Amino acid sequence: MMLRRDVDTSLLVLTVALTCIGVVMIYSSSAIMAEERFHDGFYFLKRQLVYTLVGFILMAAATYFKYQNWRKLAVPALLGSIFLLLLLFIPGVGVRVGGALRWLRIPGLTLQPAELVKLSMVLYLAHSLTRKKEKVRSLSKGYLPYMIVLGLLLAMLLKQPDLGSAMIIAGVALGMLIVAGVRWQYIGLTVLMSLPVLYFLVMQVDYRRRRILAFLNPWEDPFDTGFQIIQSLVAFGNGGIFGQGLGIGEQKLFYLPEAHTDFIFSVIGEELGLVGVLVVAALFLTMVLCGIRIALKCTDPFGRNLAFGLTLLLGLEAFVNLSVCMGLLPTKGLALPFISYGGTSLVVCLVSVGILLNISSSTGGQP
């Protein structure tokens, strides 16, 4: 399936570049570990290549699927993702890894419903905000219904537990509501009321409290709670300006936890150095600017809301992952879009780009 020629070529090139970087770095960061665990150094690479192929096929399909049609699918998609979240709690269906119940076991693969929830929530909000128009400024008819839906989703995510995805979804939802014209007073009051809840969720749960303390002073417990942050910072330090060289990094050798997923950016820092770090960060920043440009050029309110929501989702996830790896935010298990190992995340990101490309085609693509 060929991509349309009237799409934003800059966004397309950025997406291909980030995905290719991801494939290369997944192999570099996982080969030795995969050889020891599975006796196959290409174990993760082969699976990521399959996910990449599926993702690009779906992305190409999304460029031809008129974005207006997503309005009809918005509510069913949200309900479907909620159903998948409920399936997690059925014994034998949900897969618990590291104490978290975040994956569904499907014959031949595992699925992470939280990634689908992120996309479906953006679709739902874009559709509903467009339909309500000026009513979004009303507390009872506009704002509270969204908070009820958002609260339900966050409660289910926290039950897994998955605080990272919950905060991403909350951030994207509030961002879309602000852009749609919701009163700032409502947003501010919601944030203030959420602070005690957030404090309880963090400080009253042992492992989360320890992560916060480790973030503030990782050297106080360098072999336990501070281990991840310290090893990540060591990786960046080892990389210097130009890096140790692709495949030569040492921190991925059982020092850096989840080197091919949550902390793959740290591997980039060690092997490709400051130059590689700046290139990846610049690619994400440029992608966000492309998404904002698409949103601003779109004259259709639904397309504008959808483009902004998808851009915010991709940009916020990238920002949080990069910040965690560099020790600017507490450790949280979130994938780096397009680059981290993981099928559901990659496919959802590529489909999101496909939708953005279709929106861009309606405004004439890129000159």
Side-chain angles (χ1 to χ4, degrees), residues 139 143-144 147 174 183-196:
L139 178 62
Y143 189 67
L144 286 181
M147 291 300 99
L174 292 179
R183 296 180 185 276
W184 281 92
Q185 297 93 317
Y186 301 158
I187 301 292
L189 182 60
T190 300
V191 172
L192 289 176
M193 293 175 61
S194 300
L195 290 178

Side-chain angles (χ1 to χ4, degrees), residues 101-210:
L101 195 63
R102 302 178 187 174
W103 290 266
L104 286 177
R105 180 181 286 112
I106 299 175
L109 56 89
T110 55
L111 181 70
Q112 193 169 3
E115 298 298 329
L116 301 176
V117 170
K118 295 171 186 176
L119 177 57
S120 65
M121 187 63 177
V122 171
L123 291 172
Y124 166 73
L125 285 174
H127 160 67
S128 183
L129 289 171
T130 303
R131 180 173 57 86
K132 289 190 176 183
K133 298 180 181 179
E134 292 300 320
K135 291 182 180 179
V136 299
R137 297 182 62 82
S138 167
L139 178 62
S140 59
K141 296 180 180 180
Y143 189 67
L144 286 181
Y146 294 126
M147 291 300 99
I148 293 173
V149 174
L150 181 60
L152 173 64
L153 289 176
L154 298 186
M156 297 176 68
L157 289 169
L158 292 172
K159 181 66 176 176
Q160 296 182 10
D162 190 354
L163 181 60
S165 293
M167 295 188 69
I168 290 292
I169 290 176
V172 172
L174 292 179
M176 293 183 69
L177 290 172
I178 290 173
V179 171
V182 168
R183 296 180 185 276
W184 281 92
Q185 297 93 317
Y186 301 158
I187 301 292
L189 182 60
T190 300
V191 172
L192 289 176
M193 293 175 61
S194 300
L195 290 178
V197 178
L198 183 60
Y199 178 84
F200 175 81
L201 290 173
V202 173
M203 302 308 292
Q204 299 301 314
V205 179
D206 183 62
Y207 76 91
R208 290 175 183 157
R209 181 177 65 253
R210 294 169 65 196

Side-chain angles (χ1 to χ4, degrees), residues 31-304:
I32 295 177
M33 180 264 290
E35 181 65 37
E36 178 170 294
R37 292 185 183 179
F38 305 103
H39 307 291
D40 180 6
F42 297 95
Y43 180 87
F44 294 105
L45 175 63
K46 290 186 292 188
R47 281 157 177 76
Q48 190 71 4
L49 287 174
V50 173
Y51 301 145
T52 301
L53 176 61
V54 172
F56 273 119
I57 290 174
L58 294 177
M59 183 184 80
T63 64
Y64 284 93
F65 187 74
K66 292 184 178 180
Y67 73 85
Q68 294 91 342
N69 292 330
W70 287 105
R71 292 197 66 174
K72 304 174 185 177
L73 301 175
V75 174
L78 183 64
L79 294 176
S81 62
I82 292 175
F83 175 72
L84 291 177
L85 284 177
L86 291 174
L87 289 180
L88 286 172
F89 304 103
I90 298 177
V93 178
V95 179
R96 188 177 295 275
V97 178
L101 195 63
R102 302 178 187 174
W103 290 266
L104 286 177
R105 180 181 286 112
I106 299 175
L109 56 89
T110 55
L111 181 70
Q112 193 169 3
E115 298 298 329
L116 301 176
V117 170
K118 295 171 186 176
L119 177 57
S120 65
M121 187 63 177
V122 171
L123 291 172
Y124 166 73
L125 285 174
H127 160 67
S128 183
L129 289 171
T130 303
R131 180 173 57 86
K132 289 190 176 183
K133 298 180 181 179
E134 292 300 320
K135 291 182 180 179
V136 299
R137 297 182 62 82
S138 167
L139 178 62
S140 59
K141 296 180 180 180
Y143 189 67
L144 286 181
Y146 294 126
M147 291 300 99
I148 293 173
V149 174
L150 181 60
L152 173 64
L153 289 176
L154 298 186
M156 297 176 68
L157 289 169
L158 292 172
K159 181 66 176 176
Q160 296 182 10
D162 190 354
L163 181 60
S165 293
M167 295 188 69
I168 290 292
I169 290 176
V172 172
L174 292 179
M176 293 183 69
L177 290 172
I178 290 173
V179 171
V182 168
R183 296 180 185 276
W184 281 92
Q185 297 93 317
Y186 301 158
I187 301 292
L189 182 60
T190 300
V191 172
L192 289 176
M193 293 175 61
S194 300
L195 290 178
V197 178
L198 183 60
Y199 178 84
F200 175 81
L201 290 173
V202 173
M203 302 308 292
Q204 299 301 314
V205 179
D206 183 62
Y207 76 91
R208 290 175 183 157
R209 181 177 65 253
R210 294 169 65 196
R211 282 183 177 179
I212 294 296
L213 296 176
F215 165 70
L216 297 174
N217 185 11
W219 301 101
E220 184 175 343
D221 191 4
F223 299 106
D224 189 7
T225 55
F227 186 78
Q228 289 180 314
I229 297 177
I230 291 174
Q231 297 305 316
S232 182
L233 295 177
V234 169
F236 285 109
N238 289 343
I241 297 179
F242 299 105
Q244 298 287 324
L246 189 62
I248 303 179
E250 297 179 353
Q251 290 302 105
K252 64 190 179 186
L253 304 178
F254 312 105
Y255 292 103
L256 191 62
E258 307 299 335
H260 61 306
T261 55
D262 300 347
F263 284 91
I264 196 168
F265 187 61
S266 305
V267 179
I268 292 175
E270 183 175 26
E271 299 190 350
L272 303 182
L274 178 63
V275 173
V277 166
L278 292 178
V279 167
V280 171
L283 289 174
F284 277 115
L285 177 59
T286 308
M287 173 175 281
V288 170
L289 294 176
C290 284
I292 293 175
R293 180 181 62 203
I294 292 171
L296 292 177
K297 289 178 65 177
C298 186
T299 56
D300 173 34
F302 172 69
R304 185 167 56 248

